[in-house]
Amino acid sequence: MTDLKTLMDQATDRGTPFTPDVGELVAAGRHRTRVRRALMSTAAAATAAAAVAAVLLSGPFRTARSEPQPAVTPTVARPAAVTDLCAKSDDFFRTANDDAWRATVVRTWTDTVVEVSDADGSMTVRRSPDGSQYAYCVAGVPVHKKPVGGFGATLLNTGIITRQYQIQRYWSTACGDEPNDRSDFERCQGIRYSYAGRVPEGVTRIAFSGLGQHADATIKDGYWVHRIYTDNILKGNTDPVYVTMFDASGKQVFRDEY
């Protein structure tokens, strides 16, 4: 209709008579209608394709966000610690080398006074069945089925003024606190120091510092124990371990390097 009106307007402006071709106008109108319908169909198809693509793309991401997979932390079974060194608290040198005596302690001295344990083993003070004697016992977690908790060295009365400050120290190869199957000895090149002693009269706190660590010993029933780990024995040259004792008022009454 718009084209007919335009042609009629043009005919009015012409100086010569004009007769529009109705067949041509109808054909032109049908052509434009087909073009318009084709364009609309193409646009609708494009919109539908985009919607399908959006669903396909967003589906996996929604699933990943709504169903997170829990982290799996592998657990490594650790063999039980084996007591492989015991020494009488007031007679270390004789009893530490007496295998029969140590076997008796491990088997029959079941009264534990105080104990600390970690991934590498434990340090324990045990009391005899009659309650008259005490022993320091070190237990180690085996590496290649061999105990590692009781060999090494001990320092007896180093820097000690009176016998009541007697301090025992043992060292052994250790793996540290991280999970480890301990089947490869190359992984166990650290050192675990074990300390034990009587609590001197008046002492209420025994502090350890060194090897980048600060902690208090465990005290109970007149005895104390403590263990400390380092992944490199040479660290003790630049950051040695100090044992410091304090009384109830917080006054330092003893300090020495071990």
Side-chain angles (χ1 to χ4, degrees):
M1 294 297 294
T2 301
D3 293 336
L4 177 60
K5 184 178 182 302
T6 301
L7 290 173
M8 293 178 68
D9 290 341
Q10 291 176 353
T12 303
D13 295 336
R14 295 182 183 205
T16 59
F18 172 75
T19 300
D21 188 338
V22 177
E24 180 182 350
L25 291 174
V26 172
R30 289 175 178 174
H31 174 70
R32 279 190 295 274
T33 299
R34 287 195 300 269
V35 172
R36 186 164 53 249
R37 288 176 178 173
L39 291 175
M40 292 176 65
S41 298
T42 303
T47 302
V52 171
V55 171
L56 292 176
L57 289 174
S58 63
F61 292 122
R62 283 201 303 269
T63 301
R65 286 194 297 269
S66 61
E67 297 180 6
Q69 297 299 317
V72 177
T73 302
T75 56
V76 179
R78 189 171 70 235
V82 177
T83 300
D84 55 342
L85 176 62
C86 283
K88 196 173 179 181
S89 63
D90 58 356
D91 191 357
F92 175 86
F93 287 111
R94 183 183 67 81
T95 55
N97 297 314
D98 188 337
D99 293 337
W101 181 86
R102 286 190 295 173
T104 299
V105 171
V106 171
R107 186 176 63 256
T108 65
W109 292 29
T110 58
D111 184 6
T112 299
V113 178
V114 59
E115 178 180 26
V116 291
S117 61
D118 47 58
D120 290 312
S122 65
M123 182 71 192
T124 309
V125 174
R126 301 186 184 191
R127 185 163 34 217
S128 63
D130 63 5
S132 64
Q133 302 178 73
Y134 294 82
Y136 308 128
C137 292
V138 182
V141 175
V143 176
H144 282 316
K145 299 182 179 180
K146 295 182 179 180
V148 295
F151 64 84
T154 187
L155 299 178
L156 179 63
N157 291 339
T158 301
I160 306 302
I161 299 175
T162 62
R163 187 164 179 79
Q164 67 175 347
Y165 284 94
Q166 174 180 322
I167 298 174
Q168 305 286 358
R169 184 183 79 162
Y170 313 86
W171 69 267
S172 61
T173 301
C175 299
D177 295 325
E178 295 299 322
N180 193 309
D181 61 9
R182 299 173 188 265
S183 62
D184 184 0
F185 195 78
E186 293 299 322
R187 297 182 182 180
C188 301
Q189 296 301 307
I191 299 295
R192 186 77 69 169
Y193 294 105
S194 298
Y195 296 84
R198 292 190 181 93
V199 179
E201 184 178 354
V203 169
T204 59
R205 176 181 170 228
I206 301 174
F208 278 75
S209 62
L211 301 176
Q213 303 170 55
H214 298 274
D216 288 352
T218 301
I219 300 175
K220 186 177 180 181
D221 294 346
Y223 281 84
W224 62 268
V225 290
H226 188 68
R227 280 165 66 90
I228 190 169
Y229 173 78
T230 178
D231 58 2
N232 186 350
I233 193 173
L234 297 180
K235 288 183 180 179
N237 295 335
T238 56
D239 190 13
V241 176
Y242 282 91
V243 180
T244 307
M245 300 185 183
F246 302 89
D247 62 16
S249 67
K251 178 183 177 182
Q252 177 180 312
V253 296
F254 174 81
R255 177 180 170 84
D256 210 331
E257 176 183 335
Y258 286 86

